[in-house]
Amino acid sequence: MILVLLVVGGSYLFLQRSIDSINKLHINDEVAVQSGAPFTVLVIGSDSRVGENAAEFGSAAEVAGQRSDVVQLWRVTPSTKQVQVLSIPRDTVVSMIGNDVSEYGTYNRINTSFGSGASQLVKTITANFGIPINHVVEIDFSGFQDAVNAVGGVYLDFNYPAKDTYSGLDITSPGCQLLDGAQALGVARSRHYYYYEDGEWQYDGTSDFGRIQRQDAFLRALIAAVKSKETNPIALARFAGSLHEGLEIDDGFSAGELIGLAETYHSFDGNDLVSQTLPTEDSSAFSDLGDVLVADQPAAQQMLVSIFGSSLIAPTNPPPDVDGSAEAPPTITPTTAAPAAPAAPAATPAPTPPPSFDPTPCTPS
């Protein structure tokens, strides 16, 4: 979420004030970033019910602890102004490490590790996938809503009415419409998505995968909303001031680093955001965990190498395969150079269009 602020640029005073007011996390195992080099930010969407306005989602007594509703790895490459987002489905089974083994067992869903805190989730991701984490951003329900409301909402286009009684989503009519923080949160959290077509309610059925697609649409819409306010100092001040509510960043994310990124990504467009989901497959090897997923190899490792390249390290605790056995990932060599004499430029594959029932960013007429 903090990276969305980077598209604003120019308003350094607002950025400085917002950084000073944001709660800080200390992450034991984060890796320092070399100046100008690509880096990786772990973005955690927390379902914690502790905090302002939490009662509307169920109190902390009713829904104890915290889990990571969202686990995203943002690969930021300042030299090319590129941002790649890798989403890991929350039901992906990984190897637990440290004290989590006695608490949650040898294997469990990746989102359970966040119950031991952001530092533990960082360790778990690096141990399983070999991805060094440079920074961490954590946002809860209240922080999400506050940020959306501060920019005046986001515009999403719905081809059909939509609802999810679990997330609170309730879109009664189709078309391009302005969503406030509560409505946007309903979209981003929706795992039980229904849309009204041909006179009856249809069920999406893709669960977390559909939610990840809708989160991508939301991110693009939020970037557009922030950019639309960049010449309005009052709106920018409201947005910057809202970020301390329900948001935490690691204490190594310095103001100087953020301000430099704000300048670099001033012209970043949401359409340039590259979003991918870790390849997974169903597994019946963990009957005690219910319906879960495991990393689909070698496709998963190929994707990791394509995003993180030579920065990957050897996992110390690889995740289990479909049969429930942990194995080292296959060796994938990063491609760093183009063929010497290509016959013709390689065609860039067109991105897979979202399902017609999913919302997409739009501009009001």
Side-chain angles (χ1 to χ4, degrees):
M1 184 65 68
I2 189 67
L3 292 181
V4 174
L5 183 61
L6 302 183
V7 304
V8 175
S11 302
Y12 292 163
L13 177 59
F14 300 140
L15 179 56
Q16 179 69 61
R17 288 176 177 172
S18 71
I19 294 170
D20 291 343
S21 65
I22 292 172
N23 292 326
K24 304 300 190 296
L25 293 165
H26 182 70
I27 306 299
N28 296 325
D29 289 84
E30 70 179 13
V31 178
V33 181
Q34 295 183 355
S35 178
F39 60 92
T40 300
V41 182
L42 171 61
V43 178
I44 307 167
S46 169
D47 72 353
S48 171
R49 269 65 172 179
V50 176
E52 184 182 1
N53 301 325
E56 60 192 274
F57 311 113
S59 70
E62 294 169 328
V63 187
Q66 62 179 2
R67 287 144 298 277
S68 49
D69 254 12
V70 176
V71 179
Q72 292 181 340
L73 296 162
W74 290 50
R75 185 65 171 173
V76 181
T77 307
S79 62
T80 59
K81 299 182 181 180
Q82 185 179 33
V83 179
Q84 296 169 279
V85 179
L86 174 67
S87 294
I88 302 179
R90 72 173 194 173
D91 290 333
T92 304
V93 177
V94 295
S95 296
M96 296 288 101
I97 62 171
N99 293 333
D100 278 355
V101 176
S102 58
E103 182 75 16
Y104 303 117
T106 303
Y107 303 119
N108 214 313
R109 291 174 173 84
I110 190 169
N111 73 333
T112 61
S113 183
F114 182 54
S116 301
S119 273
Q120 185 69 6
L121 183 57
V122 166
K123 293 179 182 179
T124 299
I125 290 173
T126 302
N128 276 264
F129 301 107
I131 304 170
I133 306 298
N134 305 109
H135 291 300
V136 175
V137 174
E138 180 184 326
I139 187 164
D140 66 16
F141 292 163
S142 295
F144 182 105
Q145 290 190 109
D146 289 344
V148 173
N149 289 333
V151 294
V154 297
Y155 282 96
L156 286 173
D157 188 14
F158 292 81
N159 287 331
Y160 309 99
K163 68 178 181 179
D164 183 337
T165 56
Y166 290 88
S167 73
L169 175 66
D170 186 19
I171 303 298
T172 58
S173 59
C176 180
Q177 48 201 290
L178 180 65
L179 305 186
D180 63 16
Q183 293 167 318
L185 182 63
V187 172
R189 292 184 61 217
S190 178
R191 300 176 74 230
H192 305 275
Y193 189 88
Y194 283 84
Y195 59 99
Y196 193 76
E197 182 185 24
D198 297 332
E200 57 185 57
W201 286 101
Q202 313 284 341
Y203 182 48
D204 173 9
T206 58
S207 189
D208 207 31
F209 295 100
R211 178 170 67 171
I212 288 170
Q213 289 179 318
R214 290 182 281 274
Q215 288 169 351
D216 290 343
F218 162 76
L219 281 173
R220 289 176 171 83
L222 181 60
I223 290 172
V226 175
K227 287 179 68 67
S228 73
K229 306 295 183 184
E230 64 181 346
T231 58
N232 184 335
I234 295 176
L236 284 176
R238 288 181 60 212
F239 181 68
S242 76
L243 290 177
H244 73 281
E245 297 292 346
L247 178 74
E248 294 183 282
I249 64 175
D250 66 276
D251 54 15
F253 224 156
S254 69
E257 187 176 4
L258 284 168
I259 289 172
L261 287 169
E263 185 174 29
T264 299
Y265 282 88
H266 171 65
S267 59
F268 186 78
D269 191 291
N271 292 324
D272 296 329
L273 192 70
V274 178
S275 301
Q276 299 179 81
T277 302
L278 184 76
T280 56
E281 57 183 326
D282 295 331
S283 174
S284 59
F286 306 94
S287 57
D288 57 324
L289 299 180
D291 296 331
V292 294
L293 305 166
V294 294
D296 182 9
Q297 297 291 11
Q301 190 65 15
Q302 289 171 338
M303 181 174 288
L304 295 182
V305 171
S306 72
I307 297 172
F308 303 101
S310 58
S311 70
L312 291 174
I313 61 177
T316 58
N317 302 72
D321 61 16
V322 69
D323 297 319
S325 301
E327 294 185 4
T331 300
I332 306 292
T333 303
T335 301
T336 56
T348 301
T352 302
S356 62
F357 53 78
D358 267 353
T360 56
C362 59
T363 302
S365 57

